[in-house]
Amino acid sequence: MAEMKDQIVILDFGSQLTQLIARRLRELGVFSVLLPYSASIDDIKKYNPKGIILSGGPSSVLEEDSPKRSVSELQAVAPLLGICYGMQLICHDLGGEVSKADLREYGLNHLTWKTPLLTGLTEQKVWMSHGDYIKSVPEGFEVLAQSESKHIAVMKSKDILCFQFHPEVNHTDKGTELLEHFCFEMCQAQPNWTSQGIVEDLKNKIKSQVPGDEKVLCALSGGVDSTVVAHLLTQVLGKERVHCVFVNNGLLRKNEFESVQDLYKELDLNVTAVDASHDFLSELSGVSDPETKRKIIGTVFIDVFKKSIAGIGKIDFLAQGTLYPDVIESVSPRGESVTIKSHHNVGGLPKDLNLKLIEPLRELFKDEVRKIGRHMGLPEKFLMRHPFPGPGLAIRLIGEISEKDLNTLRDADAIYIDELRNNDLYDQIWQAFCVLLPVKTVGVQGDARSYEKVLAIRAVTSKDGMTADWYDFDGAFMRKVSNRITNEVKGVNRVVYDVTSKPPGTIEWE
């Protein structure tokens, strides 16, 4: 993707914040790609990068088995930016000295600039997270700023810039401006990663990937991502070559199977609706482990698609709405870290399906998908719907799945979303939903003792789903939602609110 666009390569050394670097650059209009720190120099050169960023990470360059590579080799390709561990690796590899710090710097810190990169920048609040420090810089480097502990916080040479702090996080003042300096001043990159450019790149890629009269089966979930994929493929290849299948897996929200079909008719997509709810719920019966649920759902989806192909005729490709965060969480770019959770649409296709996989949005974040959907004319009310997980309500119903509990969860969720819309809160929130817990508590309903389930409600704000914070509702709204759910939904007598950010939690509970 973006072969004709200016690009920055980010080498991932294991930081939990690496994905945020990619997000910030794309917000500046510069395409960024994440590669493992060990990517070969030839693979890096294929992107013809305008610059290379070495991310932070949990390791110490003083450890023998820490991730390392030749900085000079990278320097010969493009200007470099080192962040946290990336700065220490650059210093260590080029002949400077890195040492263990007596006083580690975690969280907020204040810098004093000796030689400001930005006009008027003399003091700065930044976010740090490191246990080593730069004792002396390599030859040819100048120290530009120091931390409260008098540690070297910024160093620069002719074509290398290094920050001991994290400019990509919101806690760092003027972090975006510092990234702009690297991209536009040092790398001379152009901000040409726009909605129009993204759509053009995607269309060109689809044309080259699906040649001649080959046909595509597009898996529709009812969500924004798969719908944008279907609309994009149909624009490029035509309805006769793009066969969409919308599956009711029995895990959709209230009335969603019917309402989403109406939208697909408006978009003039070639859609076959399949009610396979019995197949999914039968396979999920008695299963409580979330990873097992996800794998079962993925397997049954493939079985449904096989049957659909038999009814359509020859199909060459399966299209999915996989996004970059799905890939990052399921398959680490480093290939070494712990998988956070598997995604049923990540990781390839079974060989006996005999289909090639096409995932046009695989390198995009959610907000970029919404931008290109808007550019292609999809309705705003649909584009701004909150994300809904591929496994559906299976991972919002904790424990074993039953039709009764699914209906309870659907009814409660519909009330919650209804109140968000009634109070003009829906568009302020990235994602809101209910979770039905396998826990019962004693209550009093209708002057009688009740022993019913607990329902958790969740609402978070986010830009891309990579990090998120819980939404701070006022008490009147919480009281209204709780009263409506406990009064109108059978099977629930207690409502609790989840006040966990991401990290440490994930947005979904499973």
Side-chain angles (χ1 to χ4, degrees):
M1 184 182 288
E3 289 84 356
M4 303 306 293
K5 305 296 181 185
D6 287 353
Q7 303 178 74
I8 301 289
V9 165
I10 303 166
L11 297 180
D12 185 2
F13 285 87
S15 170
Q16 295 297 313
L17 300 172
T18 304
Q19 296 82 12
L20 281 179
I21 305 172
R23 286 296 308 117
R24 298 297 173 253
L25 299 194
R26 293 190 187 191
E27 288 168 1
L28 296 175
V30 179
F31 182 75
S32 54
V33 59
L34 275 172
L35 296 179
Y37 76 87
S38 56
S40 72
I41 199 69
D42 289 336
D43 284 343
I44 293 171
K45 286 180 178 179
K46 288 176 184 176
Y47 290 91
N48 191 26
K50 301 290 286 187
I52 301 172
I53 297 178
L54 285 68
S55 82
S59 303
S60 166
V61 295
L62 303 176
E63 297 169 355
E64 187 175 341
D65 61 348
S66 61
K68 296 185 180 76
R69 67 174 303 149
S70 167
V71 173
S72 299
E73 183 182 54
L74 298 173
Q75 189 179 5
V77 177
L80 305 181
L81 171 62
I83 296 175
C84 196
Y85 178 85
M87 173 177 179
Q88 295 163 7
L89 175 61
I90 289 170
C91 177
H92 179 79
D93 192 67
L94 295 183
E97 185 177 356
V98 179
S99 181
K100 286 288 183 186
D102 293 328
L103 180 61
R104 297 180 296 177
E105 294 179 314
Y106 292 127
L108 287 176
N109 203 297
H110 287 80
L111 303 190
T112 301
W113 285 82
K114 297 167 55 180
T115 308
L117 280 177
L118 307 175
T119 303
L121 182 62
T122 57
E123 304 286 334
Q124 185 183 10
K125 182 177 70 174
V126 300
W127 185 266
M128 286 186 164
S129 181
H130 64 100
D132 294 344
Y133 76 105
I134 306 298
K135 191 170 184 180
S136 63
V137 300
E139 184 178 351
F141 280 79
E142 177 187 4
V143 176
L144 304 187
Q146 290 184 324
S147 69
E148 293 174 8
S149 305
K150 305 303 181 184
H151 291 168
I152 295 169
V154 183
M155 67 179 191
K156 186 179 186 300
S157 69
K158 180 180 179 181
D159 57 358
I160 300 178
L161 176 63
C162 294
F163 300 134
Q164 189 58 79
F165 57 91
H166 290 272
E168 68 272 24
V169 303
N170 290 327
H171 302 82
T172 294
D173 288 343
K174 296 189 180 298
T176 298
E177 289 89 335
L178 292 174
L179 291 173
E180 284 180 335
H181 176 86
F182 175 70
C183 291
F184 304 134
E185 299 296 327
M186 291 184 64
C187 300
Q188 296 294 300
Q190 296 300 313
N192 46 25
W193 185 241
T194 62
S195 296
Q196 181 176 349
I198 296 172
V199 171
E200 289 175 359
D201 281 337
L202 292 174
K203 287 183 175 180
N204 289 334
K205 190 172 183 179
I206 290 168
K207 288 176 183 176
S208 64
Q209 193 171 351
V210 189
D213 59 355
E214 292 187 336
K215 295 181 179 180
V216 179
L217 181 72
C218 184
L220 291 174
S221 68
V224 174
D225 309 326
S226 63
T227 302
V228 168
V229 167
H231 193 53
L232 184 65
L233 287 168
T234 301
Q235 282 192 350
V236 176
L237 305 174
K239 287 175 62 175
E240 68 282 353
R241 294 177 61 194
V242 181
H243 297 266
C244 304
V245 176
F246 177 41
V247 178
N248 179 9
N249 58 6
L251 304 167
L252 300 175
R253 290 167 287 198
K254 192 171 185 177
N255 300 324
E256 188 159 26
F257 189 53
E258 295 76 21
S259 62
V260 172
Q261 287 184 66
D262 293 336
L263 171 72
Y264 292 153
K265 290 177 183 176
E266 288 181 31
L267 297 177
D268 196 29
L269 299 178
N270 179 9
V271 179
T272 299
V274 178
D275 187 352
S277 54
H278 176 76
D279 296 343
F280 283 89
L281 297 183
S282 294
E283 291 296 321
L284 289 167
S285 178
V287 177
S288 59
D289 178 70
E291 282 296 290
T292 305
K293 288 179 184 178
R294 290 175 181 272
K295 290 172 182 175
I296 287 173
I297 290 167
T299 299
V300 179
F301 264 122
I302 293 299
D303 291 340
V304 172
F305 295 144
K306 285 180 181 178
K307 295 175 184 176
S308 299
I309 292 169
I312 293 170
K314 180 172 168 38
I315 293 289
D316 304 282
F317 286 87
L318 174 65
Q320 297 183 150
T322 306
L323 299 190
Y324 209 6
D326 299 336
V327 176
I328 291 167
E329 288 190 337
S330 294
V331 185
S332 168
R334 298 177 297 282
E336 300 170 352
S337 68
V338 174
T339 296
I340 297 170
K341 58 186 176 183
S342 66
H343 289 258
H344 74 274
N345 59 338
V346 176
L349 294 172
K351 293 180 180 179
D352 64 345
L353 197 56
N354 199 28
L355 293 178
K356 292 168 280 187
L357 187 61
I358 180 168
E359 297 172 312
L361 311 182
R362 190 179 176 90
E363 293 180 347
L364 302 183
F365 291 89
K366 174 70 77 172
D367 62 320
E368 292 174 316
V369 174
R370 284 177 168 149
K371 286 178 183 177
I372 67 173
R374 193 170 291 119
H375 181 79
M376 293 190 297
L378 269 67
E380 191 71 17
K381 65 180 181 180
F382 180 77
L383 288 174
M384 296 312 295
R385 292 178 74 198
H386 292 177
F388 188 63
L393 298 181
I395 58 169
R396 293 180 179 175
L397 201 167
I398 310 301
E400 295 185 12
I401 294 170
S402 70
E403 189 66 42
K404 178 184 175 182
D405 284 344
L406 283 170
N407 287 331
T408 298
L409 183 55
R410 287 189 185 100
D411 290 342
D413 195 73
I415 290 171
Y416 182 31
I417 299 302
D418 183 53
E419 286 300 324
L420 289 175
R421 293 191 185 281
N422 290 343
N423 289 272
D424 296 324
L425 294 171
Y426 186 84
D427 291 336
Q428 299 179 39
I429 292 168
W430 168 266
Q431 196 168 353
F433 55 91
C434 297
V435 181
L436 190 62
L437 307 183
V439 176
K440 286 188 174 184
T441 64
V442 174
V444 179
Q445 293 175 299
D447 294 326
R449 178 187 185 275
S450 68
Y451 190 58
E452 303 290 359
K453 287 198 170 183
V454 177
L455 184 90
I457 59 175
R458 180 114 163 104
V460 297
T461 57
S462 180
K463 284 190 174 182
D464 45 46
M466 299 305 302
T467 60
D469 197 10
W470 58 276
Y471 188 85
D472 192 8
F473 290 117
D474 64 40
F477 175 83
M478 299 292 285
R479 185 174 293 108
K480 179 69 177 294
V481 170
S482 178
N483 286 345
R484 279 200 62 188
I485 289 174
T486 53
N487 288 336
E488 299 176 33
V489 180
K490 292 182 179 180
V492 174
N493 68 358
R494 192 177 300 271
V495 176
V496 297
Y497 186 49
D498 181 356
V499 291
T500 310
S501 298
K502 177 185 178 180
T506 54
I507 294 176
E508 296 285 348
W509 278 39
E510 289 192 338

PDB file of all heavy atoms in Angstrom, residues 362-376:
ATOM      1  N   ARG A 362      -6.480  -3.899   5.936  1.00  0.00           N
ATOM      2  CA  ARG A 362      -5.596  -4.544   6.906  1.00  0.00           C
ATOM      3  C   ARG A 362      -4.551  -3.585   7.485  1.00  0.00           C
ATOM      4  O   ARG A 362      -4.035  -3.804   8.580  1.00  0.00           O
ATOM      5  CB  ARG A 362      -4.903  -5.733   6.239  1.00  0.00           C
ATOM      6  CG  ARG A 362      -4.139  -6.633   7.198  1.00  0.00           C
ATOM      7  CD  ARG A 362      -3.498  -7.789   6.449  1.00  0.00           C
ATOM      8  NE  ARG A 362      -2.680  -8.617   7.317  1.00  0.00           N
ATOM      9  CZ  ARG A 362      -3.111  -9.669   7.989  1.00  0.00           C
ATOM     10  NH1 ARG A 362      -4.380 -10.029   7.887  1.00  0.00           N
ATOM     11  NH2 ARG A 362      -2.305 -10.370   8.753  1.00  0.00           N
ATOM     12  N   GLU A 363      -4.209  -2.521   6.777  1.00  0.00           N
ATOM     13  CA  GLU A 363      -3.195  -1.578   7.249  1.00  0.00           C
ATOM     14  C   GLU A 363      -3.799  -0.297   7.803  1.00  0.00           C
ATOM     15  O   GLU A 363      -3.081   0.669   8.074  1.00  0.00           O
ATOM     16  CB  GLU A 363      -2.221  -1.243   6.117  1.00  0.00           C
ATOM     17  CG  GLU A 363      -1.360  -2.425   5.685  1.00  0.00           C
ATOM     18  CD  GLU A 363      -0.407  -2.064   4.563  1.00  0.00           C
ATOM     19  OE1 GLU A 363      -0.579  -0.991   3.964  1.00  0.00           O
ATOM     20  OE2 GLU A 363       0.513  -2.859   4.297  1.00  0.00           O
ATOM     21  N   LEU A 364      -5.125  -0.271   7.991  1.00  0.00           N
ATOM     22  CA  LEU A 364      -5.799   0.958   8.408  1.00  0.00           C
ATOM     23  C   LEU A 364      -6.348   0.861   9.821  1.00  0.00           C
ATOM     24  O   LEU A 364      -6.675  -0.223  10.313  1.00  0.00           O
ATOM     25  CB  LEU A 364      -6.953   1.284   7.457  1.00  0.00           C
ATOM     26  CG  LEU A 364      -6.610   1.471   5.981  1.00  0.00           C
ATOM     27  CD1 LEU A 364      -7.857   1.858   5.212  1.00  0.00           C
ATOM     28  CD2 LEU A 364      -5.530   2.522   5.798  1.00  0.00           C
ATOM     29  N   PHE A 365      -6.471   2.026  10.454  1.00  0.00           N
ATOM     30  CA  PHE A 365      -7.120   2.142  11.750  1.00  0.00           C
ATOM     31  C   PHE A 365      -8.579   2.530  11.539  1.00  0.00           C
ATOM     32  O   PHE A 365      -8.978   2.989  10.471  1.00  0.00           O
ATOM     33  CB  PHE A 365      -6.410   3.192  12.608  1.00  0.00           C
ATOM     34  CG  PHE A 365      -5.036   2.779  13.056  1.00  0.00           C
ATOM     35  CD1 PHE A 365      -3.920   3.057  12.272  1.00  0.00           C
ATOM     36  CD2 PHE A 365      -4.849   2.130  14.258  1.00  0.00           C
ATOM     37  CE1 PHE A 365      -2.647   2.692  12.685  1.00  0.00           C
ATOM     38  CE2 PHE A 365      -3.578   1.754  14.685  1.00  0.00           C
ATOM     39  CZ  PHE A 365      -2.478   2.033  13.898  1.00  0.00           C
ATOM     40  N   LYS A 366      -9.389   2.391  12.606  1.00  0.00           N
ATOM     41  CA  LYS A 366     -10.834   2.605  12.491  1.00  0.00           C
ATOM     42  C   LYS A 366     -11.187   3.998  11.982  1.00  0.00           C
ATOM     43  O   LYS A 366     -12.060   4.156  11.131  1.00  0.00           O
ATOM     44  CB  LYS A 366     -11.492   2.370  13.852  1.00  0.00           C
ATOM     45  CG  LYS A 366     -12.980   2.685  13.913  1.00  0.00           C
ATOM     46  CD  LYS A 366     -13.821   1.691  13.138  1.00  0.00           C
ATOM     47  CE  LYS A 366     -13.977   0.414  13.917  1.00  0.00           C
ATOM     48  NZ  LYS A 366     -14.945  -0.523  13.280  1.00  0.00           N
ATOM     49  N   ASP A 367     -10.523   5.028  12.492  1.00  0.00           N
ATOM     50  CA  ASP A 367     -10.882   6.373  12.063  1.00  0.00           C
ATOM     51  C   ASP A 367     -10.548   6.596  10.589  1.00  0.00           C
ATOM     52  O   ASP A 367     -11.234   7.348   9.893  1.00  0.00           O
ATOM     53  CB  ASP A 367     -10.216   7.434  12.938  1.00  0.00           C
ATOM     54  CG  ASP A 367      -8.700   7.393  12.872  1.00  0.00           C
ATOM     55  OD1 ASP A 367      -8.136   6.290  12.844  1.00  0.00           O
ATOM     56  OD2 ASP A 367      -8.091   8.473  12.856  1.00  0.00           O
ATOM     57  N   GLU A 368      -9.510   5.918  10.086  1.00  0.00           N
ATOM     58  CA  GLU A 368      -9.188   6.021   8.663  1.00  0.00           C
ATOM     59  C   GLU A 368     -10.260   5.334   7.817  1.00  0.00           C
ATOM     60  O   GLU A 368     -10.615   5.809   6.736  1.00  0.00           O
ATOM     61  CB  GLU A 368      -7.813   5.391   8.392  1.00  0.00           C
ATOM     62  CG  GLU A 368      -6.674   6.182   8.999  1.00  0.00           C
ATOM     63  CD  GLU A 368      -5.329   5.490   8.851  1.00  0.00           C
ATOM     64  OE1 GLU A 368      -5.238   4.276   9.085  1.00  0.00           O
ATOM     65  OE2 GLU A 368      -4.355   6.183   8.495  1.00  0.00           O
ATOM     66  N   VAL A 369     -10.785   4.215   8.324  1.00  0.00           N
ATOM     67  CA  VAL A 369     -11.866   3.521   7.612  1.00  0.00           C
ATOM     68  C   VAL A 369     -13.100   4.411   7.529  1.00  0.00           C
ATOM     69  O   VAL A 369     -13.756   4.499   6.489  1.00  0.00           O
ATOM     70  CB  VAL A 369     -12.200   2.187   8.314  1.00  0.00           C
ATOM     71  CG1 VAL A 369     -13.412   1.529   7.670  1.00  0.00           C
ATOM     72  CG2 VAL A 369     -11.007   1.244   8.258  1.00  0.00           C
ATOM     73  N   ARG A 370     -13.406   5.079   8.631  1.00  0.00           N
ATOM     74  CA  ARG A 370     -14.556   5.987   8.618  1.00  0.00           C
ATOM     75  C   ARG A 370     -14.342   7.142   7.631  1.00  0.00           C
ATOM     76  O   ARG A 370     -15.269   7.562   6.936  1.00  0.00           O
ATOM     77  CB  ARG A 370     -14.804   6.524  10.028  1.00  0.00           C
ATOM     78  CG  ARG A 370     -15.464   5.488  10.942  1.00  0.00           C
ATOM     79  CD  ARG A 370     -15.633   6.009  12.353  1.00  0.00           C
ATOM     80  NE  ARG A 370     -16.495   5.132  13.129  1.00  0.00           N
ATOM     81  CZ  ARG A 370     -16.393   4.943  14.425  1.00  0.00           C
ATOM     82  NH1 ARG A 370     -15.438   5.571  15.117  1.00  0.00           N
ATOM     83  NH2 ARG A 370     -17.221   4.144  15.059  1.00  0.00           N
ATOM     84  N   LYS A 371     -13.134   7.650   7.563  1.00  0.00           N
ATOM     85  CA  LYS A 371     -12.843   8.749   6.636  1.00  0.00           C
ATOM     86  C   LYS A 371     -13.040   8.322   5.187  1.00  0.00           C
ATOM     87  O   LYS A 371     -13.627   9.061   4.388  1.00  0.00           O
ATOM     88  CB  LYS A 371     -11.405   9.240   6.843  1.00  0.00           C
ATOM     89  CG  LYS A 371     -11.203  10.063   8.098  1.00  0.00           C
ATOM     90  CD  LYS A 371      -9.743  10.469   8.247  1.00  0.00           C
ATOM     91  CE  LYS A 371      -9.519  11.242   9.534  1.00  0.00           C
ATOM     92  NZ  LYS A 371      -8.076  11.587   9.722  1.00  0.00           N
ATOM     93  N   ILE A 372     -12.555   7.125   4.840  1.00  0.00           N
ATOM     94  CA  ILE A 372     -12.708   6.714   3.443  1.00  0.00           C
ATOM     95  C   ILE A 372     -14.153   6.316   3.153  1.00  0.00           C
ATOM     96  O   ILE A 372     -14.639   6.498   2.038  1.00  0.00           O
ATOM     97  CB  ILE A 372     -11.722   5.581   3.057  1.00  0.00           C
ATOM     98  CG1 ILE A 372     -12.043   4.278   3.778  1.00  0.00           C
ATOM     99  CG2 ILE A 372     -10.298   6.013   3.298  1.00  0.00           C
ATOM    100  CD1 ILE A 372     -11.217   3.109   3.292  1.00  0.00           C
ATOM    101  N   GLY A 373     -14.868   5.786   4.174  1.00  0.00           N
ATOM    102  CA  GLY A 373     -16.289   5.508   3.998  1.00  0.00           C
ATOM    103  C   GLY A 373     -17.061   6.789   3.728  1.00  0.00           C
ATOM    104  O   GLY A 373     -17.952   6.836   2.869  1.00  0.00           O
ATOM    105  N   ARG A 374     -16.705   7.847   4.446  1.00  0.00           N
ATOM    106  CA  ARG A 374     -17.324   9.162   4.248  1.00  0.00           C
ATOM    107  C   ARG A 374     -16.996   9.684   2.844  1.00  0.00           C
ATOM    108  O   ARG A 374     -17.859  10.243   2.155  1.00  0.00           O
ATOM    109  CB  ARG A 374     -16.815  10.112   5.324  1.00  0.00           C
ATOM    110  CG  ARG A 374     -17.576  11.405   5.457  1.00  0.00           C
ATOM    111  CD  ARG A 374     -17.125  12.140   6.704  1.00  0.00           C
ATOM    112  NE  ARG A 374     -17.530  11.461   7.920  1.00  0.00           N
ATOM    113  CZ  ARG A 374     -16.693  10.991   8.854  1.00  0.00           C
ATOM    114  NH1 ARG A 374     -15.392  11.117   8.676  1.00  0.00           N
ATOM    115  NH2 ARG A 374     -17.162  10.398   9.929  1.00  0.00           N
ATOM    116  N   HIS A 375     -15.757   9.487   2.437  1.00  0.00           N
ATOM    117  CA  HIS A 375     -15.328   9.932   1.105  1.00  0.00           C
ATOM    118  C   HIS A 375     -16.105   9.213   0.008  1.00  0.00           C
ATOM    119  O   HIS A 375     -16.392   9.791  -1.046  1.00  0.00           O
ATOM    120  CB  HIS A 375     -13.828   9.664   0.945  1.00  0.00           C
ATOM    121  CG  HIS A 375     -13.257  10.088  -0.370  1.00  0.00           C
ATOM    122  ND1 HIS A 375     -12.943  11.407  -0.672  1.00  0.00           N
ATOM    123  CD2 HIS A 375     -12.954   9.370  -1.497  1.00  0.00           C
ATOM    124  CE1 HIS A 375     -12.473  11.478  -1.894  1.00  0.00           C
ATOM    125  NE2 HIS A 375     -12.465  10.258  -2.424  1.00  0.00           N
ATOM    126  N   MET A 376     -16.480   7.949   0.257  1.00  0.00           N
ATOM    127  CA  MET A 376     -17.221   7.174  -0.738  1.00  0.00           C
ATOM    128  C   MET A 376     -18.734   7.357  -0.635  1.00  0.00           C
ATOM    129  O   MET A 376     -19.479   6.758  -1.397  1.00  0.00           O
ATOM    130  CB  MET A 376     -16.875   5.686  -0.601  1.00  0.00           C
ATOM    131  CG  MET A 376     -15.432   5.354  -0.957  1.00  0.00           C
ATOM    132  SD  MET A 376     -15.143   3.559  -1.050  1.00  0.00           S
ATOM    133  CE  MET A 376     -15.485   3.070   0.628  1.00  0.00           C
TER     134      MET A 376
END
